[in-house]
Amino acid sequence: MLTADWIALGLVVVFLALGALVGFGKGLKFFTSGIFGIIIAVVVCYLTLGFVLNIEFVQDLLADFDEWLRGTGSVGTFFADINIGKIVAAIILFIIVQIVRIIIVKIIKGIAEIDNIIFKVINKILGAVFFVAVLAAITLIVFQIFAMIGGETYDNFFANLEGSVFLLDKICENNLLIPVEFCSAVKLGYGGHFLVG
């Protein structure tokens, strides 16, 4: 086993233990509130904004808003030119996601922490699974950061993962968080230069 494998195994054990100790309800609240909650909301908005903007109803609203802005004069035209409507739509979507997130987390936390022996066991098991899932997400983000840096830094990092028992090299190479075209550029040896070239 590689050093990276031992580190990964150690982290999995630690996160499993923490998850079982904290429980799913409290773990979910911790990782979906504060700065973590904002990050999750931003990611959800990033992934869904394109879909929302393609909804015919939303497109009609944006078109009407754009027309109204241009009718108000040069200042309105300026804001229309920088697509202020899409920025407003993104802000509204962010607020909606935040509200939905808070409601869902409170409901799930309430159910998961019911004072019953069966629910307590389920809460511990789900907590362990949830914390490992969080670890997986953090790992993908770290892999993405190295891929975006690219060049020799990425090559050296990837070399430390090659031959991993836990297939860390394959996970890094096929990171779900990285666009397909970027993955191809990294595999071809362009590294982070893909972002600027």
Side-chain angles (χ1 to χ4, degrees), residues 18-31:
L18 282 174
L21 180 66
V22 174
F24 180 68
K26 291 180 180 177
L28 181 66
K29 184 179 179 182
F30 175 77
F31 282 110

Side-chain angles (χ1 to χ4, degrees), residues 2 9-10 24-25 39 52-53 58 66 76 86 93 96 102-103 108-109 121 126 133 144 150 155 171-172 181 185 189:
L2 302 175
L9 181 60
F24 180 68
I39 292 173
V52 171
L53 292 177
V58 176
D66 185 82
K86 291 182 179 180
L93 178 62
I96 293 173
I102 292 170
I103 293 173
I108 295 177
K109 183 177 181 293
V121 172
L126 290 179
Q144 182 182 21
D155 293 338
I171 296 172
C172 181
E181 62 271 18

Side-chain angles (χ1 to χ4, degrees), residues 31-47 94 97-98 101 141:
F31 282 110
T32 56
S33 60
I35 186 65
F36 290 111
I38 293 174
I39 292 173
I40 290 173
V42 169
V43 171
V44 171
C45 289
Y46 172 75
L47 296 175
F94 176 79
V97 169
Q98 284 283 66
R101 175 186 62 79
I141 291 171

Side-chain angles (χ1 to χ4, degrees), residues 168-180:
L168 296 175
D169 51 343
K170 302 300 181 184
I171 296 172
C172 181
E173 193 175 24
N174 301 288
N175 192 341
L176 297 175
L177 298 181
I178 305 176
V180 175

Side-chain angles (χ1 to χ4, degrees), residues 70-172:
R70 294 185 186 281
T72 60
S74 58
V75 175
T77 300
F78 167 76
F79 283 114
D81 289 340
I82 63 172
N83 291 317
I84 192 69
K86 291 182 179 180
I87 297 174
V88 172
I91 294 173
I92 293 174
L93 178 62
F94 176 79
I95 294 172
I96 293 173
V97 169
Q98 284 283 66
I99 293 172
V100 172
R101 175 186 62 79
I102 292 170
I103 293 173
I104 291 176
V105 169
K106 283 190 175 181
I107 292 174
I108 295 177
K109 183 177 181 293
I111 295 174
E113 295 185 342
I114 292 176
D115 191 15
N116 177 289
I117 185 63
I118 296 177
F119 277 98
K120 285 183 177 179
V121 172
I122 294 175
N123 186 36
K124 298 295 184 183
I125 295 172
L126 290 179
V129 174
F130 176 68
F131 268 66
V132 171
V134 169
L135 174 61
I138 293 173
T139 301
L140 292 178
I141 291 171
V142 170
F143 286 173
Q144 182 182 21
I145 291 172
F146 274 98
M148 292 176 70
I149 293 172
E152 188 176 343
T153 301
Y154 174 80
D155 293 338
N156 292 336
F157 175 74
F158 186 78
N160 291 323
L161 302 179
E162 287 186 299
S164 167
V165 173
F166 299 125
L167 304 178
L168 296 175
D169 51 343
K170 302 300 181 184
I171 296 172
C172 181

Side-chain angles (χ1 to χ4, degrees), residues 147-148 150-151 154-155 173 178-197:
M148 292 176 70
Y154 174 80
D155 293 338
E173 193 175 24
I178 305 176
V180 175
E181 62 271 18
F182 181 69
C183 285
S184 300
V186 170
K187 290 174 187 176
L188 288 172
Y190 297 119
H193 298 297
F194 179 79
L195 294 178
V196 295

